[in-house]
Amino acid sequence: MFKAIEIANDIHWVGALEWNERYIHGFSMPKGSTNNAYLIMDEKITLIDTCMGGLSKELIERISDVVDPADISYIISNHSEKDHAGAISSLIEVAPNAAIVTSMPKGLAILKKYYGEDREFIPVKSGDVLNIGKRDLTFIHTPMVHWPDNMVTYSPTDKILFSNDAFGQFIATSKRFDDEVDVTEICRFAKKYFANIVAPFKKQTLRALDAVDGLDIDMIAPSHGIIWRSHVSDIIKLYRTWCAADPTDSAVVVYSTMYDSTKRLAEAACEAFIQKGLDTRLYDLDISDISDIMTDVMDAKYLAVGSPTHNNTVLPPMGQFLTYLKGLAPKGRTGIAFGSYGWAAAGAKEITETLQKAGYDTPLDTFTCEWNTDKSDENALYDQISALVS
């Protein structure tokens, strides 16, 4: 039996907790995730977002704790991805008279593909207002944060911004608010979420921040994770900092290895950065999570990446990392490629090409040496990086 939680006067959290979910499209979630949905009790009962389709039972039970779902007038879909809109099909079975409010034209086009033409849709433009009784809900389009259909919903009466993916975190917790948990931990989860999901769309996110800048906000209710009420200004400030994408004096060294020769090169690169006073992290792809690595990569001024050559390419874990890196493309940084080989130095060259495609400057030549590395190889890479950083 699932219960609703009132987060403000006549506004209830009715979402679903994914306590044991650990991965979503390459993103690790060591503490699970939350699909947030919000029920507003007004003359026209309104539900903002839903959840994954497989969690619809939990969502409907929480709604039923407050009201008969059949009494819902509007289902607002701020974003049509499955973790937000996947349960709409179950909702419309128990709320057959509910109209679906979505962005025009992108959200409307996507949801019609999902649920057909015979539903009542209310497409809204940025700035449109929907009256639900005592409240006027305002819609603001935030395209590419992080899909083209994205929008946010603002309730001036409650001073709540229902922010969709922005300001979210992948974490499952029994608490609902930022002041009920360790906010430092929540900010780390928010940064990881930004680095792996929002970061490729920093320019669009900054425009979205500007669009909501004039709103009087007491609470930010995202689609995932904790609701912000005591640290609203703090998380907005962090988002502006992350959108600025200014690198810190830090370095990340990422490697995959076969016979430890590439590992020794990675350690030499790491030591070079450390001796130059940079905050440095060393990651072995056999044991490290890519989404955790990318959270550090987002800040790093330098990224050194190494792999041996295997079947004329990089090792499979490195191939996965490079694919992930290309998608996130943290530009305006310096990249360094290195590696070892037996009979063809192809792996490290492939790394250089990927770094360049991702927007990295690569001022050093690709560093390669035979598998049977010795101190002279390690020292050579150490010296090259030391000269570059100085």
Side-chain angles (χ1 to χ4, degrees), residues 39-354:
L39 185 71
I40 302 177
M41 297 299 296
D42 210 318
E43 293 174 24
K44 299 288 187 179
I45 297 171
T46 301
L47 178 68
I48 299 180
D49 286 327
T50 65
C51 61
M52 287 283 195
L55 300 170
S56 58
K57 178 179 180 292
E58 182 173 345
L59 171 73
I60 292 171
E61 282 194 15
R62 292 194 195 278
I63 293 170
S64 301
D65 184 46
V66 181
V67 69
D68 185 340
D71 294 335
I72 295 174
S73 297
Y74 300 115
I75 300 171
I76 296 174
S77 177
N78 280 330
H79 175 28
S80 53
E81 201 172 358
K82 291 292 187 179
D83 53 338
H84 305 257
I88 288 180
S89 57
S90 297
L91 253 295
I92 57 181
E93 292 181 5
V94 296
N97 298 317
I100 301 173
V101 182
T102 185
S103 65
M104 176 69 182
K106 297 296 184 178
L108 181 64
I110 295 170
L111 291 183
K112 279 188 172 182
K113 288 181 182 178
Y114 287 171
Y115 304 116
E117 300 278 348
D118 58 344
R119 298 299 311 168
E120 181 185 356
F121 291 96
I122 301 177
V124 294
K125 303 184 298 296
S126 194
D128 283 355
V129 175
L130 177 69
N131 177 262
I132 61 171
K134 295 181 294 184
R135 294 171 175 84
D136 289 320
L137 302 180
T138 300
F139 305 102
I140 301 170
H141 284 203
T142 54
M144 297 316 300
V145 187
H146 61 129
W147 271 27
D149 68 306
N150 282 55
M151 68 179 186
V152 299
T153 302
Y154 174 63
S155 173
T157 301
D158 309 286
K159 299 181 182 180
I160 298 178
L161 178 68
F162 299 94
S163 65
N164 194 3
D165 274 323
F167 310 112
Q169 332 93 46
F170 281 140
I171 185 171
T173 168
S174 60
K175 304 298 184 180
R176 299 272 61 82
F177 295 102
D178 56 351
D179 49 28
E180 297 177 323
V181 295
D182 180 352
V183 71
T184 301
E185 180 185 44
I186 294 302
C187 286
R188 285 198 299 268
F189 276 95
K191 183 178 182 180
K192 181 177 179 179
Y193 187 94
F194 183 96
N196 288 272
I197 293 179
V198 182
F201 314 105
K202 290 187 286 286
K203 291 182 179 179
Q204 296 91 334
T205 304
L206 192 57
R207 286 197 292 268
L209 290 172
D210 291 339
V212 302
D213 191 47
L215 302 179
D216 188 5
I217 301 173
D218 283 347
M219 188 182 297
I220 296 176
S223 292
H224 298 291
I226 286 294
I227 298 166
W228 304 92
R229 67 178 178 188
S230 294
H231 300 275
V232 169
S233 61
D234 296 330
I235 189 59
I236 292 174
K237 183 178 179 180
L238 283 173
Y239 254 63
R240 287 197 176 276
T241 298
W242 298 334
C243 285
D246 294 327
T248 61
D249 285 331
S250 61
V252 173
V253 182
V254 182
Y255 72 94
S256 191
T257 194
M258 291 174 66
Y259 300 120
D260 283 350
S261 54
T262 306
K263 176 184 177 181
R264 293 197 296 274
L265 292 173
E267 290 170 342
C270 180
E271 192 64 22
F273 288 124
I274 291 173
Q275 291 303 314
K276 287 296 181 178
L278 273 65
D279 184 9
T280 305
R281 295 290 306 178
L282 177 67
Y283 287 105
D284 179 352
L285 285 172
D286 282 345
I287 58 175
S288 300
D289 174 75
I290 289 178
S291 56
D292 287 332
I293 296 172
M294 289 308 303
T295 307
D296 285 335
V297 168
M298 182 179 78
D299 291 334
K301 184 181 294 185
Y302 298 95
L303 173 63
V305 183
S307 173
T309 298
H310 176 66
N311 293 334
N312 212 35
T313 183
V314 295
L315 285 174
M318 179 56 68
Q320 183 183 15
F321 173 78
L322 294 177
T323 298
Y324 204 91
L325 181 69
K326 282 191 295 184
L328 295 178
K331 296 178 176 59
R333 274 80 167 146
T334 297
I336 299 164
F338 64 92
S340 56
Y341 63 94
W343 49 269
K349 292 178 182 178
E350 183 177 334
I351 292 171
T352 296
E353 293 171 359
T354 302

Side-chain angles (χ1 to χ4, degrees), residues 8-19:
N9 186 38
D10 288 333
I11 300 180
H12 303 264
W13 177 84
V14 290
L17 292 163
E18 295 181 287
W19 292 103

